[in-house]
Each structure stands twice: as structure tokens, then as C-alpha cells.
């Protein structure tokens, strides 16, 4: 497996590696920022390749500090906006260059599993050299994401074509939702299968309280998560608590108002935190096709914890939330809609907690792991 993400914090990669190892496969995972001594489990080894600084120079680079104003800061912000696409491309390319000899030394393998488009070119190269099966795992609709920086329509168009060219060589393509799978099939990819970002069923889910204590957003705090709408709704919902928990994008600026923050916790402790507050926020902006087709980890983590959700009313989220009666929906960017959705879930809380518990029998990793292991079994045929 090859990934440019920090492996230790990427639950999808860790779940997939563990499931394949349990099925009898031996795996070597090459990723980024792997802590010394980090272990996944029996049958899985891990190796780390660092990322370059791209276009950053010294300690300043592209980041602009918080709370500063004036012409120089405005110029820096404009420069950052202008150069971000080049910075991303150069950083990802330099990682692939650094990872190539690591991949070569680790192989050969029977299959090469590329996590996301930014590893697909490297994986396809070595799959061809080793006459190995290529597997493409598209965590997102890569060229339809909302990205900071200047618009890049030509880069997106060329990228979609190149993605299809490379992914057409894959024996199987995985992705996270039915909507993204349909888009990839529509672009010419034949065997696309859905492996959702679900979690293993919890061994014991305590009974839900009669009423929730608050809203919890557990995830990265940054652009694209519709957090300004959360803050605006929090003002209307007070004294009902609204809480953010997660790592913060250093370039993100937001006046939190009445919203509380709590320290980020390991993923295995998030269940208890979700139950403490009682409602999970699954928010996204309606600013790109990738968001409209996304099914974030947060949705399935709430199911595992037995907690209803308030989710952005976007096509894929709407389909799952309404089908399984997991909670309420709100219009992205509309604080009044979010406030009304929260009040609706509070009013009908026992109904939604029942829906979440029922859904846990299907929306869990055991089902999705079967899809993964079955596909790998077919690679030998």
C-alpha cells in the first residue's frame, strides 16, 4: 500500500491493512509521518517517507499569521492564494520522487494498492515493473475537491483524464460512496466498488440519555467544514452547548463566539465523547462535487457510538441519514436551518437513537471489510 497521508492517523488505511492481514495477506505500507515504533498489527509492516517543503522557504513560507493586517500581510495572502496550486503539486511530486526508491527496495509484490490519486502514478509504475495487480483506492473525488488558492480549471480537466488513463490499468477501484462510484464509472472505469469509511461495531453501546447535552463536531477544524454556520447557530441555540474537538488548520480564522473547544482525543476515545454530548455534527459546505458525494468518517463514527447526527443536506449524506433515520439535515450555510434541525432532533431524540442503533447492524466495517477481502481474493484468479 502507498499513501501520502500520515498513516498513523488514517483510519481507512489502517482498517484496510488490518482486514487484509486477518484474511492471510502480508502487507507493507509506505506512508508519511509514521512515528518511530508505530505498529499496525501482525502481517503488516510500515515505512515512512517525509514530505518536502514545496515552495515554502524558511519559517514564513506560505503561511500567514493570525490577527495581523496591513499591506504586507495582504500581499502575502495574495501570494499564498496565487501559489498554493504550485505548492501542492510540487510537494506531492517531491514525495513521489523520494518514495520511488523506497518502493523499489521493498518489492516486488503481487499487488500495489494506491491510496488516492497522488500515489496512483507511482503505484502504476511499479505494478507494471513487477507484473503486479494495481488497486486504486479513491478516498475522494480528487479533481472535484474544494481547494484553497486560485481556480485551476485546466489542471482539473487534465487531471480527470490522467486519473482515468492510470486507473484503467487497475484490476479494481475502491471508493467511499455510491455517488463517487457512479461518477468514476461514468468517466470510463469499469470495476468500481464501494468501501465506506465505517467503523467496527462497538462491543457495548450504553443506553442513550433521555435528552442530549450538546452538539459535538469531532474532526479537523478548517475551511470547507461549514463551521461559520455552526457558530451562528450556536448563538441561537445557547445555552444548549456546541463543542468543537479536533486539530486546527493553522491558516484558518474563525471567531468562535459561544462555541466551546475541547482537546483532541485519540480515535478510540471519541465514542465516549460523542455520547457525553449526545448529537454529532457532520457538516460540509456545498461548494464542490466532492462534498456533495461525500460520506465522512464522522457519520459512521456517530453510528458506532449510538449517537444521532445533524448532517449537511447533500445528496449522499441525505440518502443515508434519511434511509436509516439517523438524525436531522440542514441546508449548508443556513444557520436558521441548522438551528431548526437541532431542535427537531432534541424533540424526537429517542426515535433517532433507535434509528442509529438499528443502522449499526449494517453500517459497520464488518460489511465493508468483506467487500475489500473479496476483491483481493479475485486478484489471484
Amino acid at each position: 500500500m502507498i499513501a501520502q497521508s500520515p498513516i498513523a492517523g488514517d483510519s481507512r488505511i489502517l482498517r484496510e491493512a488490518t482486514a487484509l492481514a486477518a484474511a492471510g495477506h502480508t502487507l507493507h505500507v509506505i506512508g508519511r509521518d509514521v512515528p518511530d515504533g508505530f505498529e499496525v498489527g501482525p502481517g503488516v509492516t510500515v515505512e515512512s517517507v517525509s514530505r518536502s517543503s514545496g515552495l515554502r522557504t524558511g519559517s514564513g513560507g506560505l503561511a500567514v499569521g493570525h490577527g495581523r493586517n496591513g499591506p504586507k500581510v495582504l500581499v502575502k495572502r495574495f501570494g499564498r492564494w496565487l501559489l498554493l496550486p504550485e505548492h501542492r503539486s510540487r510537494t506531492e511530486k517531491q514525495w513521489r520522487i523520494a518514495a520511488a526508491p523506497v518502493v523499489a527496495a521493498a518489492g516486488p509484490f503481487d499487488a500495489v494498492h494506491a491510496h488516492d490519486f497522488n500515489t496512483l502514478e507511482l503505484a502504476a509504475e511499479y505494478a507494471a515493473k513487477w507484473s503486479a495487480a494495481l488497486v486504486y483506492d479513491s478516498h475522494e473525488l480528487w479533481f472535484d475537491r474544494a481547494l484553497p488558492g486560485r481556480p485551476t480549471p485546466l489542471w482539473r480537466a487534465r487531471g480527470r483524464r490522467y486519473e482515468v488513463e492510470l486507473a484503467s490499468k487497475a484490476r479494481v477501484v475502491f471508493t467511499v460512496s455510491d455517488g463517487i462510484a457512479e461518477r468514476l464509472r461514468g468517466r470510463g472505469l469499469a470495476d468500481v466498488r464501494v468501501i465506506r469509511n465505517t467503523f467496527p461495531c462497538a462491543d457495548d453501546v450504553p443506553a442513550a440519555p433521555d435528552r442530549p447535552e450538546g452538539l459535538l463536531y469531532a474532526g479537523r477544524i478548517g475551511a470547507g467544514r461549514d463551521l461559520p454556520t455552526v457558530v451562528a447557530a450556536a448563538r441561537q441555540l445557547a445555552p444548549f452547548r456546541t463543542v468543537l474537538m479536533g486539530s486546527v488548520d493553522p491558516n484558518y480564522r474563525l471567531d468562535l463566539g459561544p462555541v466551546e473547544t475541547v482537546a483532541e482525543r485519540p480515535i478510540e476515545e471519541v465514542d465516549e465523547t460523542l455520547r457525553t454530548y449526545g448529537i454529532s455534527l457532520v457538516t460540509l459546505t456545498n461548494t464542490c462535487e466532492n462534498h456533495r458525494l461525500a460520506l465522512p468518517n464522522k457519520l459512521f463514527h456517530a453510528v458506532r457510538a449510538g449517537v444521532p447526527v445533524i448532517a449537511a443536506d447533500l445528496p449522499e449524506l441525505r440518502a443515508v441519514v434519511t434511509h436509516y433515520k439517523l438524525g436531522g439535515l440542514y441546508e449548508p450555510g443556513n444557520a436558521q436551518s441548522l438551528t431548526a434541525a437541532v431542535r427537531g432532533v432534541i424533540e424526537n431524540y429517542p426515535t433517532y437513537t433507535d434509528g442509529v442503533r438499528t443502522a449499526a447492524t449494517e453500517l459497520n466495517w464488518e460489511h465493508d471489510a468483506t467487500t475489500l477481502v473479496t476483491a483481493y481474493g479475485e486478484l489471484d484468479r
Side-chain angles (χ1 to χ4, degrees):
M1 287 185 169
I2 308 174
Q4 288 205 36
S5 60
I7 298 299
D10 195 317
S11 56
R12 180 178 179 88
I13 294 174
L14 297 178
R15 285 194 300 270
E16 289 184 359
T18 302
L20 289 170
H25 298 278
T26 300
L27 292 94
H28 187 64
V29 183
I30 297 173
R32 178 168 64 90
D33 299 338
V34 181
D36 292 339
F38 178 77
E39 295 182 356
V40 177
V44 183
T45 53
V46 182
E47 198 166 358
S48 187
V49 177
S50 298
R51 263 191 176 179
S52 76
S53 59
L55 295 177
R56 288 191 178 95
T57 56
S59 60
L62 296 177
V64 178
H66 295 270
R68 291 182 288 170
N69 294 295
K72 290 184 178 180
V73 172
L74 292 176
V75 169
K76 286 183 179 180
R77 289 176 182 171
F78 175 76
R80 182 177 184 275
W81 174 85
L82 190 68
L83 293 174
L84 263 176
E86 280 75 14
H87 168 69
R88 281 192 300 268
S89 295
R90 183 172 295 188
T91 299
E92 291 170 359
K93 180 179 180 180
Q94 290 301 320
W95 187 91
R96 290 193 297 271
I97 292 171
V102 177
V103 173
F109 294 96
D110 296 322
V112 186
H113 189 132
H115 284 279
D116 269 327
F117 174 79
N118 57 6
T119 66
L120 182 55
E121 183 177 39
L122 179 62
E125 177 186 350
Y126 279 90
K129 286 183 178 180
W130 297 331
S131 298
L134 175 65
V135 177
Y136 179 36
D137 199 327
S138 180
H139 298 200
E140 301 183 89
L141 199 59
W142 189 262
F143 292 98
D144 296 272
R145 297 170 296 154
L147 296 171
R150 74 175 193 279
T152 53
L154 294 178
W155 172 82
R156 292 176 185 271
R158 286 195 300 266
R160 292 185 193 103
R161 291 193 296 269
Y162 191 44
E163 179 183 39
V164 170
E165 178 186 335
L166 291 174
S168 294
K169 302 173 184 177
R171 290 280 300 277
V172 63
V173 176
F174 299 129
T175 193
V176 298
S177 75
D178 290 329
I180 294 180
E182 289 174 9
R183 291 295 186 279
L184 294 176
R185 292 184 192 114
R187 293 174 184 176
L189 300 181
D191 190 354
V192 184
R193 308 187 196 188
V194 176
I195 298 177
R196 299 162 300 186
N197 285 321
T198 49
F199 288 80
C201 287
D203 294 331
D204 180 37
V205 180
D210 294 332
R211 287 178 62 84
E213 297 295 323
L215 297 170
L216 177 68
Y217 172 89
R220 185 148 180 85
I221 299 169
R225 277 75 172 180
D226 206 21
L227 297 181
T229 304
V230 173
V231 172
R235 293 190 172 96
Q236 301 174 34
L237 290 166
F240 191 73
R241 300 171 69 188
T242 301
V243 182
L244 303 183
M245 179 179 73
S247 58
V248 181
D249 184 332
N251 298 308
Y252 188 62
R253 298 165 179 80
L254 180 65
D255 180 359
L256 293 178
V259 174
E260 305 171 39
T261 59
V262 295
E264 186 177 13
R265 298 186 182 182
I267 196 165
E268 61 270 14
E269 297 179 14
V270 173
D271 291 32
E272 181 182 351
T273 311
L274 284 167
R275 294 187 198 112
T276 298
Y277 296 100
I279 300 177
S280 176
L281 277 170
V282 185
T283 56
L284 283 172
T285 56
N286 186 12
T287 53
C288 66
E289 190 75 349
N290 184 57
H291 282 182
R292 289 185 278 276
L293 301 178
L295 285 178
N297 291 7
K298 292 186 283 294
L299 176 68
F300 300 110
H301 209 145
V303 172
R304 171 184 162 88
V307 171
V309 304
I310 301 294
D313 190 1
L314 299 169
E316 288 295 310
L317 279 168
R318 181 193 311 126
V320 175
V321 171
T322 56
H323 179 76
Y324 292 100
K325 299 180 176 60
L326 302 181
L329 297 166
Y330 81 98
E331 178 187 354
N334 187 330
Q336 294 286 355
S337 175
L338 178 52
T339 301
V342 173
R343 289 172 176 162
V345 169
I346 294 172
E347 184 177 345
N348 298 285
Y349 195 66
T351 298
Y352 290 121
T353 55
D354 288 345
V356 171
R357 284 174 177 267
T358 301
T361 61
E362 183 176 340
L363 299 179
N364 61 66
W365 178 243
E366 284 73 15
H367 281 73
D368 291 290
T370 299
T371 301
L372 173 71
V373 172
T374 299
Y376 259 80
E378 294 171 1
L379 297 181
D380 294 330
R381 297 176 187 172

